[in-house]
Amino acid sequence: MASSPSQLSLKQLRDFHNMDRIIYSRLLTFDFDPLPCMKIVAFWNTLEKFGFRNLVYGLQQLCDSRLLSVAKESIFCLQCLCSPSQEIFPWLHLDFSHLNRLLPQHLLLGFLVKNRAILKRMIQGFVEDVCQVAFLDILQQNQAPPPTPTDDKGGVSKDKTESSDLEDKTLFMTFSRGHPVSDHEIHGFIVRKFGSCVEAIHMDKNPKCLFACVALRSQSDMSKILGGEKLVRLFINGKQVRVRRSIGFFFYFSPSFSSSVQLIQSNCCNGKEKTRGG
């Protein structure tokens, strides 16, 4: 584009970014907040500027369920851009399988880490110069109930219902570096303190793993453990564990993980922290 966004009229800006506007509208139907959706679209456009060509066009061809999968992986990428290097290190081997199917070359987490500073600047610039201007009318129109996502066969997608149910009864735990906690320790602690409420524990086989996802049997079990707080600290065998509710972002981990099922990757969670021992 010869002209910068600030030199275009509003109509020209909307017309030029018509595909981005369509994608943004679809992302809002997944019940993501408006600003994260803008950052996702900005991330995809920034990748195109780095040589990952025709990504947005390819995304437009996807059904809702596949677009949602790519969006979730992209959210994880955005989180990594804002996370300390020591927190990203355990995930360096992860494969963005849904996203990479659309790219001419493989996207690796190392690329994001290496180019972190410029990627963040470009993403924020796109959000401010394009998204917050060209998408404003979509936000205003999106007050009505969104359409129901469909799968490849035109049927109703189960992703929305399943993700809502899972996030209401799934914990995301992070451990202190150098003080890993095993799945047996997690299970034993929860059973002793809160009763038999663990449905499954998903974590890397690596003994130095720094996080785990714990699926509980019910929403009431979640309430018992978090006690109404957004973030709590537990002490399992003297090791500090930070626990929060996973909020809606799935990520397909590589086969090296202990389970191939979908794990929930928590979004950054602000709020008061409560300390609980046991």
Side-chain angles (χ1 to χ4, degrees):
M1 184 169 65
S3 302
S4 68
S6 61
Q7 295 174 315
L8 299 174
S9 69
L10 179 58
K11 184 180 186 307
Q12 288 173 325
L13 189 65
R14 288 176 177 173
D15 288 345
F16 186 84
H17 290 282
N18 186 52
M19 280 199 295
D20 298 314
R21 285 166 51 81
I22 293 171
I23 291 292
Y24 181 70
S25 297
R26 292 179 65 190
L27 290 176
L28 290 178
T29 69
F30 302 141
D31 286 344
F32 290 165
D33 288 335
L35 182 56
C37 287
M38 289 183 183
K39 289 185 176 180
I40 293 170
V41 175
F43 174 65
W44 290 335
N45 275 270
T46 300
L47 287 181
E48 285 199 342
K49 293 176 182 177
F50 268 84
F52 297 93
R53 302 196 180 280
N54 300 317
L55 173 57
V56 175
Y57 175 79
L59 289 162
Q60 197 175 17
Q61 312 307 310
L62 300 180
C63 67
D64 285 341
S65 59
R66 290 189 61 196
L67 179 63
L68 179 59
S69 296
V70 176
K72 289 166 182 176
E73 291 186 347
S74 299
I75 290 168
F76 185 84
C77 291
L78 288 167
Q79 289 180 316
C80 288
L81 290 176
C82 300
S83 301
S85 297
Q86 63 268 24
E87 292 185 11
I88 301 173
F89 181 77
W91 302 323
L92 285 177
H93 66 291
L94 296 180
D95 174 36
F96 306 113
S97 58
H98 298 279
L99 182 56
N100 277 321
R101 287 185 193 133
L102 302 172
L103 300 176
Q105 63 259 34
H106 220 59
L107 177 67
L108 300 174
L109 193 52
F111 167 84
L112 301 180
V113 175
K114 180 179 179 181
N115 298 283
R116 182 202 307 256
I118 187 171
L119 283 168
K120 289 171 68 174
R121 286 197 302 271
M122 291 175 69
I123 290 168
Q124 187 58 33
F126 192 92
V127 169
E128 294 174 357
D129 296 339
V130 177
C131 300
Q132 292 180 354
V133 180
F135 298 171
L136 183 59
D137 61 317
I138 299 174
L139 283 177
Q140 294 169 342
Q141 296 167 10
N142 201 58
Q143 302 305 311
T148 303
T150 58
D151 58 22
D152 290 302
K153 299 179 180 179
V156 176
S157 172
K158 295 181 180 179
D159 277 336
K160 222 174 180 184
T161 302
E162 290 176 351
S163 63
S164 176
D165 291 343
L166 283 168
E167 68 187 52
D168 285 338
K169 58 178 184 178
T170 303
L171 300 171
F172 184 73
M173 295 186 169
T174 55
F175 318 135
S176 300
R177 191 168 184 83
H179 301 281
V181 182
S182 71
D183 55 349
H184 296 293
E185 289 179 299
I186 293 172
H187 185 271
F189 172 85
I190 293 178
V191 169
R192 287 194 305 273
K193 192 168 182 66
F194 302 103
S196 182
C197 59
V198 177
E199 189 169 280
I201 298 175
H202 305 290
M203 59 192 301
D204 196 344
K205 291 181 179 179
N206 185 341
K208 296 182 180 179
C209 177
L210 297 179
F211 66 93
C213 291
V214 181
L216 303 172
R217 297 188 186 280
S218 68
Q219 295 178 23
S220 61
D221 295 324
M222 168 81 73
S223 300
K224 280 194 299 184
I225 294 173
L226 293 182
E229 302 293 329
K230 290 184 176 180
L231 179 66
V232 301
R233 288 175 177 168
L234 303 177
F235 289 90
I236 300 178
N237 293 337
K239 293 173 283 192
Q240 180 176 283
V241 177
R242 293 161 66 90
V243 185
R244 68 190 70 182
R245 170 182 176 268
S246 292
I247 33 185
F249 302 143
F250 286 73
F251 184 74
Y252 286 88
F253 285 87
S254 67
S256 66
F257 276 69
S258 58
S259 175
S260 61
V261 300
Q262 291 177 321
L263 300 186
I264 297 176
Q265 168 58 42
S266 164
N267 187 21
C268 295
C269 188
N270 297 321
K272 293 186 296 182
E273 221 177 82
K274 186 176 179 181
T275 301
R276 310 175 83 179

